[in-house]
Amino acid sequence: MTYKPGICTFCGNGCGHFLKIVDGRPAGVFPSRNHPVSRGRLCVRGWNIHELLSTPQRLTDAMLRKNGGLIKVSYDEAIAQVVEKLKKFASDSPDALAILASPRSSNEEHYLLMKFARAVLKTNNIGLDSESGHRASLEVLNAGTGFAGMLGSAGAIAGADFLFVLDFDITKQNPILGSELHMARRAGAFMVTLDSRTTQIAKLSDVFMMAKSGSNKVVIAALAKILIDEGLADSAYIQKYTTGFEGFANLLGSLSYDDINTKTGISIEVLKEIARKLVSSRRAMAFYPSGISGLDVETIGFLFNLFLLAGKIGINGSGINPVTGLNNLQGGYDMGVAPDVLPGFQLLEDPKAHAAFAKAWGADIPTKKGRMPYELLSEKSSKLKALVVIDHDEGIVRYADRLKELEYIVYIGAFENPFTEFAHAVLPIASYIESEGTYTNTERRIQLSAKKADPPSGILPGWRLVCELAKKAGASWNYASPADVMNEIAAVTPPYSQVSYEKLRKSFGIQWPCDTQNPNGTEYFSADTSTKKLSFYPVKADYSIPTVSTEFPYQLMIGKAQHFWHQNNLMRLTKIPLREYNTTLLLFPEGYVEISPDDAKSLGVREKWPVMVKSHAGEMKAAVKISGEVRSGTAYIPYFIQETISKFLLEHREVLARGEDATIPVKIEKV
Amino acid sequence: MYRIKKSDIVNIAQELSKEYGIFGPYIDRDAGQVMFDRLDDLSQIDLDAPIPAIPPKHVIYPHSECILKYSYDPTAKKAAIERIHSEKPKALFGLRSCDLEGIRVLDRFFLGQEFVDEFYLANRKKVFIVSNTCVKPFAQCFCACTDSGPSAKEGFDLNLTELGDEYLIEAGSEKGKAFAEKIGLAKAGDEYKDKKKKAIDISLDLFTDFAVENKAWVSRVTNRVTTGFIKEEIWEYIGNQCFECGACTFVCPTCSCFNIEDVNIGSGATERIRSWDSCSYEGYSKMAGDHNPRKPVEDRRNKRFFCKLSYSQSKKYLRPGCVGCGRCAWVCPGDIGLPNVVTYIRREITK
Ligand code: SF4
Ligand code: SF4
Ligand code: SF4
């Protein structure tokens, strides 16, 4: 029996698999047919995960920077230095130290790291990498429903009869969830896609709206307006379950039908048809990506409100569903890995929550909310001096210049990573199959991943390493196992209160809330059992869309993870997925800018010809890729070839922060 | 022909285990899934279990395997090359006839052509095969349409057929016969031939309408695929459903595509790894200088069905490339497993 059941931890889907272990080394995968999320399916990443897990490119020694180079040292020596330095910086000034956690860590690692930051180092400057979009979702969902996670679940998709896919190449980014959408579509669900590029799911949709770039929010607001104007809103539902309707309805007044048409390029008739289908559906679900390339708060707010108007939040599995790109992004938030929230999305600045944690931990914790590591990095005037990074992703390299100025950087991870170049201390940890741990997928399913192989000799699992750091810093932590850590998590995290390893071992995971009311978890959010009224999200009546000038006539979109390799650092350690990634990268080693055939013609360029892309703030060189997948007037640059565009993007940080459909006005010149 | 009490069948595995590592079907307790793998505890063998999710092909053609190691010592200026292969004796115990046919197709691919694949040969050499007749088919099976079941006709050392509380055991090779004689199995009289035939007839009757009806259709579709009389739109439709995940290849008992990579393992040493690959991947058919004869996904998809259902391919395998196990339908996120594709094409033919 060399095939051991487990879960894939590439993306937020959390598919079930078997991992083949031969002589202690991963040597193959097979899907798990009874797993409720994946039911026998895996995507290209999942089918090749053993290539990553068996890579020789592991970090196998603790290292400290001495005379410019990283020198192998004992764990003890490295831990002693790291703790001494971190304590010093933590007491230096509130902004001197930040911890950038990884959305790939287990819940137990997250929890302990968060506790280490707050209770031991006394800092709240802790946050997750590639988080912005998901945070925006949780903000809206928590404010609207008190449920800080996906409202529906993967299993409910097949039974949906209205599906709305927003700015989401779902069959590439979260393929197995995409497969559920395929299935629902084949069973007759009405499917609507809103995207500025043609994706596979767009091709399969009943209605594909290729709206003008930057106009997503206006499209959604227009649908809401139509529901009200046409008397389609579900007034009984609104009356019974919601608050804040008036305010939202009023704010739609300033949006005119003429405006809708010119701003979005979508006809009112099409929008009306969609509105009618939405309200007459039994189970309506919206899906959008949540993570580095997610939507912004306002767009999500409008979407949530649209679904409330239609009576489609918390009824029969209906709702809006942010989909996490990284395996434990949801779990990271659940564990309070954010500057302002504690486990269970309890606000740090709520005195009651704060006091409860101080008591549970028997330690003082700073009361003022912290800052996001990225904020501190990008703000030139910040006093950031030291940074701890777990399992780094691409994003941070954007701040290369700033990183070089920091006094102390600690890197903690399982695999070799180019980021260690910046580090002063490197602490290796076990990979996820070399230790037990739980991971919470995009539909709130907490899954236990068993230990299947031994770590490289002498290497500690992440949870143990954090314990060692805390102990060295003087804390009296005594966790015997990850199960032990989960017991403490359950005690302080209301939606996890009835979770235990014993229960998890007997299941394919449990969807939170798992509490005394729902001891076996909760498949989807229900308005009927909600303790509070659902509230319309307080959005702003800002219907402006980015305009182009004659000087900068193109809207440049960045970042949409069209390539499912948004986890580059890991993909680089595989063979087959890397080859697939390279099929694009090799063709365009310096990155590309995708434009429509018409635009290519008017610019007088052909495929692969070099062009300069210039904005008011910067410029970069790229090769032309001509495709019918973008509309004229729009140019698209994939974020994944960050080496090329990072400098350019650095000048447009505020655009990245605005989320997925934010654009930069540019001109394109033939060179 | 021999026979044995049903409850004693594990004794045969026990006897085999003296010489061979035993691989057989079992139910994984945690995931509740039928797998086929190396077993140390022979009581876990479950011959009644439905066909295993994983085809036994991985035993002789693993998902990934190191076939060569080489290293270079720059100070001594010496290179060392070590070929990695093992000819460990293995018994595949209780393999279903579709999966046996699958191995026979792989044999023809790896061993029966111009070049003999030595690594496959090493894995395959000392294999003892005990096949197991399906006295009832499982939900997704259609071996009846692809001439690969429900009972194996050749290629086994021993073949089991459950008949009430007994197993009929047929020897299909000298090796099988010698083994049966050695362990002193009770002889079965000629009346067992009839009994077996009846059991198979009952089994054939139990195939779903889909499988039975499709019998003629598989050959008609093969005809179409071979002659290219399938509309572009059909392939395009199929291409639009494909996720390019590779699953259909990996679970197919007859798929043989592989990738070779040299992996640097540090201190000057390199391992050459061979692993399963898939025609559904764009990078698989990509050639130097950005040529890709099969760039659009639909071209890569029709390639698969060309491989499974065309005369030219059948000539190579001496049978259709599909053995009717139905696994690709289980694992396909786009629901375009082979049975569905046959349905799409036949719909088109009947139109
Ligand atoms: S969809 Fe995500 S979790 Fe599932 S196999 Fe693919 S990468 Fe793994
Ligand atoms: S093509 Fe499908 S049904 Fe046919 S042998 Fe392969 S996996 Fe089985
Ligand atoms: S299993 Fe289905 S989706 Fe995956 S590559 Fe094969 S045909 Fe395409």
Side-chain angles (χ1 to χ4, degrees):
Chain A
M1 291 199 240
T2 54
Y3 281 90
K4 317 267 181 217
I7 50 169
C8 175
T9 56
F10 266 135
C11 85
N13 241 54
C15 296
H17 71 186
F18 284 78
L19 196 65
K20 184 182 176 75
I21 307 283
V22 180
D23 301 330
R25 209 166 122 173
V29 207
F30 206 77
S32 171
R33 296 195 58 212
N34 296 325
H35 192 275
V37 178
S38 51
R39 296 196 316 278
R41 296 159 296 173
L42 295 172
C43 75
V44 54
R45 295 178 299 228
W47 268 106
N48 294 291
I49 198 169
H50 60 290
E51 294 188 338
L52 164 70
L53 296 171
S54 61
T55 178
Q57 287 169 268
R58 290 288 300 269
L59 290 173
T60 51
D61 295 282
M63 291 182 281
L64 292 177
R65 192 166 294 278
K66 293 181 179 172
N67 305 322
L70 281 172
I71 307 295
K72 291 179 187 177
V73 298
S74 70
Y75 250 137
D76 286 344
E77 187 183 339
I79 288 171
Q81 190 198 81
V82 167
V83 168
E84 187 208 311
K85 296 271 189 188
L86 295 187
K87 281 178 88 168
K88 174 180 138 334
F89 287 110
S91 58
D92 209 38
S93 84
D95 284 354
L97 170 68
I99 300 176
L100 187 63
S102 159
R104 281 193 254 275
S105 301
S106 70
N107 288 324
E108 292 74 10
E109 288 165 337
H110 275 319
Y111 177 80
L112 293 178
L113 186 72
M114 182 274 315
K115 183 173 172 181
F116 175 61
R118 294 196 155 116
V120 181
L121 297 175
K122 315 287 181 195
T123 177
N124 285 320
N125 300 339
I126 179 168
L128 287 157
D129 204 348
S130 67
E131 57 75 57
S132 60
H134 201 52
R135 180 55 203 265
S137 291
L138 300 188
E139 200 68 53
V140 173
L141 291 171
N142 191 51
T145 66
F147 203 84
M150 183 190 266
L151 299 181
S153 77
I157 301 173
D161 53 357
F162 180 93
L163 296 163
F164 190 11
V165 183
L166 284 98
D167 239 346
F168 196 4
D169 197 353
I170 190 168
T171 59
K172 289 253 159 89
Q173 287 176 251
N174 289 65
I176 301 310
L177 212 62
S179 172
E180 294 292 325
L181 269 77
H182 268 223
M183 224 159 17
R185 173 70 192 85
R186 277 195 304 273
F190 186 79
M191 190 151 82
V192 181
T193 304
L194 171 61
D195 212 312
S196 23
R197 304 183 71 250
T198 310
T199 57
Q200 188 196 59
I201 210 76
K203 288 185 203 157
L204 296 173
S205 295
D206 295 274
V207 180
F208 167 35
M209 295 184 278
M210 196 191 246
K212 289 187 181 165
S213 40
S215 70
N216 283 348
K217 192 174 70 183
V218 181
V219 172
I220 298 165
L223 287 167
K225 184 179 173 67
I226 289 169
L227 284 191
I228 294 176
D229 291 356
E230 303 279 307
L232 292 167
D234 187 339
S235 42
Y237 170 95
I238 294 170
Q239 178 87 51
K240 182 169 173 204
Y241 295 108
T242 74
T243 63
F245 166 73
E246 303 296 327
F248 180 60
N250 284 339
L251 152 164
L252 290 167
S254 60
L255 183 64
S256 81
Y257 285 100
D258 280 350
D259 252 15
I260 293 170
N261 200 278
T262 43
K263 284 182 173 165
T264 67
I266 310 290
S267 91
I268 304 294
E269 279 320 304
V270 167
L271 293 169
K272 280 187 180 167
E273 152 96 352
I274 296 169
R276 280 192 293 269
K277 291 281 187 191
L278 169 61
V279 289
S280 62
S281 65
R282 224 180 51 87
R283 178 181 295 170
M285 301 176 90
F287 294 90
Y288 58 94
S290 197
I292 194 149
S293 55
L295 303 175
D296 64 319
V297 172
E298 286 288 304
T299 308
I300 300 166
F302 271 99
L303 181 66
F304 179 78
N305 292 355
L306 167 69
F307 270 59
L308 275 186
L309 283 180
K312 302 297 180 206
I313 296 277
I315 296 294
N316 190 29
S318 290
I320 72 168
N321 301 289
V323 180
T324 54
L326 290 167
N327 66 323
N328 207 25
L329 184 54
Q330 180 64 45
Y333 275 106
D334 295 347
M335 295 301 108
V337 182
D340 56 342
V341 292
L342 288 160
F345 221 75
Q346 305 178 69
L347 296 184
L348 177 92
E349 289 185 330
D350 166 7
K352 250 173 65 196
H354 187 271
F357 276 87
K359 186 166 166 233
W361 291 344
D364 291 339
I365 47 178
T367 47
K368 210 170 145 278
K369 69 178 181 192
R371 314 255 337 252
M372 267 304 288
Y374 275 157
E375 250 172 54
L376 292 169
L377 276 170
S378 63
E379 205 177 277
K380 291 205 171 88
S381 61
S382 84
K383 297 212 174 70
L384 185 70
K385 289 182 182 160
L387 184 69
V388 180
V389 176
I390 326 289
D391 244 352
H392 125 274
D393 264 305
E394 299 294 298
I396 197 167
V397 176
R398 274 189 256 151
Y399 304 105
D401 294 344
R402 183 69 194 265
L403 289 168
K404 283 182 203 138
E405 290 164 20
L406 296 186
E407 287 174 38
Y408 198 64
I409 297 179
V410 183
Y411 182 70
I412 300 175
F415 300 101
E416 276 180 11
N417 189 305
F419 183 74
T420 49
E421 261 178 52
F422 296 97
H424 300 89
V426 174
L427 295 169
I429 51 172
S431 79
Y432 90 94
I433 55 160
E434 294 161 355
S435 164
E436 257 186 335
T438 64
Y439 299 84
T440 305
N441 82 348
T442 188
E443 39 136 46
R444 302 166 275 103
R445 184 180 301 274
I446 307 156
Q447 307 197 78
L448 177 58
S449 168
K451 177 175 170 175
K452 300 179 191 64
D454 287 322
S457 126
I459 300 302
L460 297 173
W463 70 272
R464 277 276 315 275
L465 178 72
V466 181
C467 288
E468 294 305 316
L469 290 171
K471 279 193 233 165
K472 190 81 201 174
S476 51
W477 286 14
N478 259 317
Y479 302 99
S481 66
D484 224 18
V485 181
M486 180 50 82
N487 291 339
E488 182 172 316
I489 293 172
V492 297
T493 313
Y496 282 61
S497 66
Q498 295 295 305
V499 176
S500 70
Y501 268 44
E502 202 194 344
K503 253 193 202 173
L504 292 171
R505 266 186 240 287
K506 285 191 232 133
S507 72
F508 282 112
I510 299 173
Q511 290 177 276
W512 67 252
C514 171
D515 47 24
T516 40
Q517 273 109 49
N518 316 283
N520 297 315
T522 307
E523 197 188 349
Y524 39 72
F525 170 73
S526 159
D528 280 315
T529 57
S530 172
T531 47
K532 54 173 232 167
K533 277 207 159 187
L534 312 183
S535 45
F536 280 83
Y537 192 75
V539 288
K540 295 185 210 71
D542 172 4
Y543 306 114
S544 62
I545 62 160
T547 46
V548 290
S549 59
T550 36
E551 193 190 352
F552 299 109
Y554 290 92
Q555 297 285 356
L556 180 71
M557 295 191 287
I558 355 146
K560 173 171 296 183
Q562 158 215 17
H563 302 272
F564 32 96
W565 320 116
H566 56 123
Q567 300 137 340
N568 267 343
N569 276 321
L570 292 189
M571 284 303 154
R572 284 199 186 115
L573 302 175
T574 65
K575 302 290 166 222
I576 288 179
L578 175 71
R579 177 190 71 197
E580 296 302 304
Y581 163 65
N582 279 344
T583 57
T584 312
L585 197 58
L586 280 178
L587 293 186
F588 300 96
E590 287 177 75
Y592 62 78
V593 55
E594 196 171 316
I595 54 176
S596 74
D598 283 350
D599 287 343
K601 216 175 184 176
S602 62
L603 288 167
V605 293
R606 295 222 209 119
E607 182 88 352
K608 295 212 189 96
W609 281 19
V611 287
M612 288 305 285
V613 179
K614 294 182 177 169
S615 76
H616 71 277
E619 58 177 47
M620 75 181 136
K621 202 167 148 184
V624 167
K625 183 171 184 227
I626 302 170
S627 108
E629 298 187 352
V630 291
R631 61 152 68 226
S632 295
T634 301
Y636 164 78
I637 287 198
Y639 169 73
F640 78 115
I641 308 175
Q642 52 83 18
E643 288 90 342
T644 324
I645 60 172
S646 58
K647 271 252 148 53
F648 179 78
L649 292 183
L650 207 56
E651 307 299 334
H652 299 91
R653 229 177 274 120
E654 80 296 346
V655 177
L656 282 177
R658 263 187 283 135
E660 172 99 346
D661 82 329
T663 57
I664 303 171
V666 294
K667 62 178 161 194
I668 299 175
E669 287 169 358
K670 191 163 131 183
V671 290
Chain B
M1 285 190 302
Y2 308 88
R3 60 198 168 86
I4 194 168
K5 273 218 324 252
K6 217 184 147 184
S7 52
D8 289 343
I9 191 74
V10 71
N11 297 349
I12 295 186
Q14 214 80 55
E15 282 298 326
L16 280 169
S17 71
K18 291 175 185 164
E19 249 182 276
Y20 301 91
I22 306 291
F23 293 75
Y26 67 95
I27 300 179
D28 180 275
R29 280 201 203 96
D30 293 323
Q33 173 164 320
V34 187
M35 295 294 277
F36 193 103
D37 203 357
R38 175 74 202 246
L39 290 169
D40 294 320
D41 174 1
L42 299 182
S43 69
Q44 284 175 315
I45 294 180
D46 188 341
L47 291 181
D48 298 328
I51 107 170
I54 188 167
K57 82 166 173 185
H58 75 92
V59 180
I60 29 188
Y61 173 40
H63 195 161
S64 98
E65 110 185 281
C66 175
I67 55 176
L68 191 79
K69 269 190 194 162
Y70 58 88
S71 54
Y72 181 67
D73 181 343
T75 36
K77 293 210 162 88
K78 265 182 111 170
I81 301 182
E82 184 194 354
R83 190 182 124 143
I84 316 277
H85 69 275
S86 76
E87 294 182 3
K88 284 193 201 124
K90 301 182 261 296
L92 306 185
F93 191 84
L95 147 114
R96 301 279 176 188
S97 73
C98 53
D99 287 335
L100 172 55
E101 275 305 317
I103 289 174
R104 282 155 54 79
V105 168
L106 293 180
D107 286 351
R108 287 179 195 123
F109 177 80
F110 284 114
L111 309 173
Q113 305 188 83
E114 220 172 317
F115 298 102
V116 167
D117 185 300
E118 293 180 27
F119 300 98
Y120 180 88
L121 182 64
N123 287 337
R124 176 71 173 94
K125 221 170 194 175
K126 295 187 178 152
V127 173
F128 191 100
I129 291 181
V130 182
S131 49
N132 183 16
T133 300
C134 299
V135 291
K136 60 172 198 302
F138 304 98
Q140 84 297 340
C141 297
F142 60 101
C143 62
C145 326
T146 55
D147 192 28
S148 41
S151 186
K153 294 192 193 101
E154 52 188 327
F156 51 82
D157 295 300
L158 296 177
N159 181 47
L160 313 176
T161 306
E162 183 195 334
L163 299 170
D165 56 2
E166 283 186 316
Y167 273 107
L168 167 68
I169 304 172
E170 295 156 286
S173 68
E174 284 308 317
K175 194 164 64 172
K177 194 168 166 202
F179 176 81
E181 293 293 335
K182 189 179 93 190
I183 64 167
L185 286 177
K187 295 263 180 338
D190 268 355
E191 73 277 16
Y192 277 82
K193 271 193 189 150
D194 250 13
K195 284 194 192 175
K196 181 183 171 192
K197 187 174 176 305
K198 272 199 196 111
I200 290 176
D201 286 345
I202 292 174
S203 176
L204 283 171
D205 276 346
L206 290 171
F207 273 84
T208 58
D209 291 349
F210 170 80
V212 179
E213 254 177 61
N214 255 329
K215 186 159 190 154
W217 283 106
V218 167
S219 50
R220 287 183 71 177
V221 167
T222 303
N223 193 318
R224 285 269 163 154
V225 171
T226 310
T227 48
F229 280 134
I230 292 169
K231 282 204 191 121
E232 289 282 311
E233 296 96 86
I234 301 269
W235 292 128
E236 234 174 79
Y237 174 79
I238 290 167
N240 271 341
Q241 307 286 319
C242 181
F243 284 72
E244 302 169 60
C245 69
C248 49
T249 311
F250 301 148
V251 302
C252 183
T254 70
C255 275
S256 52
C257 295
F258 59 81
N259 182 39
I260 301 268
E261 288 279 350
D262 284 4
V263 181
N264 187 338
I265 55 169
S267 32
T270 300
E271 287 183 346
R272 177 160 296 174
I273 308 280
R274 150 146 91 187
S275 56
W276 293 351
D277 206 338
S278 170
C279 58
S280 68
Y281 295 157
E282 186 180 346
Y284 178 73
S285 50
K286 193 179 179 61
M287 297 185 264
D290 187 26
H291 293 295
N292 195 340
R294 300 196 179 274
K295 187 156 167 55
V297 49
E298 57 266 25
D299 284 3
R300 275 175 273 132
R301 285 309 62 205
N302 72 23
K303 164 76 185 66
R304 168 169 171 78
F305 299 104
F306 194 80
C307 187
K308 298 302 158 203
L309 300 174
S310 78
Y311 290 134
S312 45
Q313 204 66 15
S314 303
K315 264 202 288 195
K316 198 155 80 191
Y317 300 148
L318 307 177
R319 55 153 297 110
C322 171
V323 295
C325 71
R327 289 187 179 96
C328 51
W330 279 346
V331 295
C332 177
D335 203 23
I336 40 169
L338 187 128
N340 262 355
V341 168
V342 168
T343 305
Y344 293 145
I345 297 177
R346 68 182 263 196
R347 255 192 229 144
E348 150 81 12
I349 300 176
T350 36
K351 245 199 275 171

